[in-house]
Amino acid sequence: MSEWKIRFGTAGTSDSFAAQGGKTSLDIPEYTAKMGLNAFEYQCGHGVRLGLDKAAKMAALAAPKDILFSVHAPYYISMSSLEEDKRLNSVNYLLQSAAVCRALGGQRVIFHSGSCGKQSREAALEKALDTLRRAQTALDEAGFSDITLCPETMGKIGQLGTLDEVLELCKVDERITPCIDFGHLNARTLGGIASKADYAAILDKVEAALGGARAKRFHVHFSRIEYSAGGEKRHWTFAETQFGPEPQPLMELLAEQGLEPVIICESAGTQAEDACTMQRLYGEARLRTTSQSGFARLPRPPLLGEVASRKR
């Protein structure tokens, strides 16, 4: 893989994948490149079913097109479960996901850490921290030390996955990197991302907690999400502007701060098209930022008082 850079891609395939003739997973690299994107998150939410041989073929097709794969681990992972066997099974699911990610030539496995259930948030977090320590050890022992685990911020209030909880999970090991789902955060805070300043506060908190590469090259999920009193209800497309959050302020901040996350769009059926919109918004913001910094390097014009003194 080439030098690290900001990337834009999709979670799974858009409706346009089949409309354009896509039939199997082997068609994903060509479709992704045709859309002008360079990242793809393979969805194993309902189980790790992609064979390693097929994953390797996908990797071979994607490499010349500079497409970076990531893998979303099964949804039924529960690192905070009251039942120990479910926590141990969660470690196995992460191992399976890591194997597929490696075969795809990818680097990151994204996962949901679980729910609080009938225990306090503090107790649930303690169980998740212990399970994540076991998972990282298991990955290292299995030869997957280069695969990065990415706990995701969650959209339902009852789920484990506030920004603070995810950042705490990331402190288990310096390799663990947050997946910041801004749609989820907006949903669980009942519309808490309403301005550029709200986005900036999130980025500042990540920087303060982790710093370094993880605060610059984190993972992003983004979509407009409808919510109710309990948080996340359903994902929508960028066309449904009655639902937030807005993508443009985030793209502006990423450009202004020189951040380089992998940005995965999770819109409902238009994720490739909406990822292209974010890529365009980022490009425009980056151009403005570059132009402004270029102007700043120009010699400043003399002040009126200086002009007058020179004339004398």
Side-chain angles (χ1 to χ4, degrees):
M1 190 57 62
S2 58
E3 183 180 356
W4 189 274
K5 60 187 175 184
I6 191 169
R7 290 176 180 272
F8 294 84
T10 66
T13 56
S14 296
D15 294 343
S16 56
F17 174 73
Q20 293 183 24
K23 291 182 173 60
T24 75
S25 297
L26 295 178
D27 297 323
I28 287 172
E30 181 179 356
Y31 169 79
T32 301
K34 184 178 179 182
M35 294 299 292
L37 303 170
N38 55 8
F40 186 89
E41 191 156 296
Y42 195 91
Q43 303 298 289
C44 294
H46 300 291
V48 181
R49 300 168 183 169
L50 177 63
L52 298 184
D53 289 344
K54 190 171 187 179
K57 291 177 182 177
M58 292 171 64
L61 293 169
K65 304 180 187 303
D66 188 33
I67 295 168
L68 180 64
F69 282 108
S70 53
V71 169
H72 198 301
Y75 297 139
Y76 41 77
I77 282 176
S78 180
M79 308 189 91
S80 58
S81 175
L82 289 166
E83 300 175 45
E84 185 176 11
D85 61 332
K86 288 187 177 180
R87 299 198 301 274
L88 295 177
N89 283 338
S90 296
V91 173
N92 290 329
Y93 299 141
L94 288 174
L95 283 168
Q96 294 168 15
S97 301
V100 168
C101 189
R102 164 76 63 74
L104 285 167
Q107 300 177 15
R108 293 178 168 180
V109 171
I110 291 78
F111 66 94
H112 301 167
S113 52
S115 64
C116 297
K118 297 180 180 180
Q119 58 191 322
S120 68
R121 301 199 72 87
E122 293 76 16
L125 180 59
E126 282 303 314
K127 287 185 178 62
L129 287 166
D130 176 68
T131 308
L132 185 52
R133 291 186 192 100
R134 297 187 191 195
Q136 186 62 68
T137 298
L139 259 66
D140 289 344
E141 291 177 348
F144 295 123
S145 60
D146 58 321
I147 300 297
T148 302
L149 294 177
C150 300
E152 180 181 348
T153 58
M154 297 306 297
K156 289 185 172 65
I157 293 173
Q159 292 173 312
L160 194 65
T162 66
L163 180 59
D164 287 337
E165 287 164 349
V166 164
L167 293 177
E168 194 64 30
L169 288 168
C170 289
K171 293 176 183 177
V172 163
D173 188 279
E174 62 183 9
R175 292 165 292 180
I176 298 173
T177 299
C179 174
I180 309 298
D181 189 316
F182 290 95
H184 281 166
L185 288 180
N186 186 62
R188 77 174 303 136
T189 58
L190 309 183
I193 303 178
S195 68
K196 191 171 181 178
D198 294 328
Y199 279 118
I202 294 170
L203 299 179
D204 288 347
K205 183 169 281 192
V206 175
E207 169 64 33
L210 305 179
R214 292 185 293 174
K216 184 176 184 179
R217 299 172 176 176
F218 52 98
H219 207 78
V220 169
H221 283 175
F222 196 98
S223 60
R224 295 184 183 275
I225 294 180
E226 179 183 359
Y227 58 84
S228 61
E232 176 188 8
K233 193 171 179 181
R234 63 170 291 187
H235 288 234
W236 290 90
T237 73
F238 278 16
E240 275 84 34
T241 55
Q242 68 270 39
F243 304 112
E246 293 295 329
Q248 184 164 349
L250 176 60
M251 296 305 109
E252 291 174 354
L253 277 171
L254 297 179
E256 291 163 8
Q257 297 185 17
L259 302 179
E260 299 174 327
V262 175
I263 302 171
I264 299 297
C265 185
E266 292 191 316
S267 292
T270 60
Q271 52 267 58
E273 291 76 11
D274 292 349
C276 289
T277 295
M278 286 193 287
Q279 189 174 50
R280 175 180 57 78
L281 292 172
Y282 171 82
E284 292 170 354
R286 186 69 179 159
L287 186 60
R288 289 194 300 271
T289 300
T290 303
S291 299
Q292 290 166 1
S293 63
F295 290 142
R297 288 193 293 270
L298 293 174
R300 71 167 175 81
L303 301 176
L304 288 177
E306 293 174 339
V307 173
S309 63
R310 288 176 189 174
K311 288 182 178 179
R312 292 197 298 270

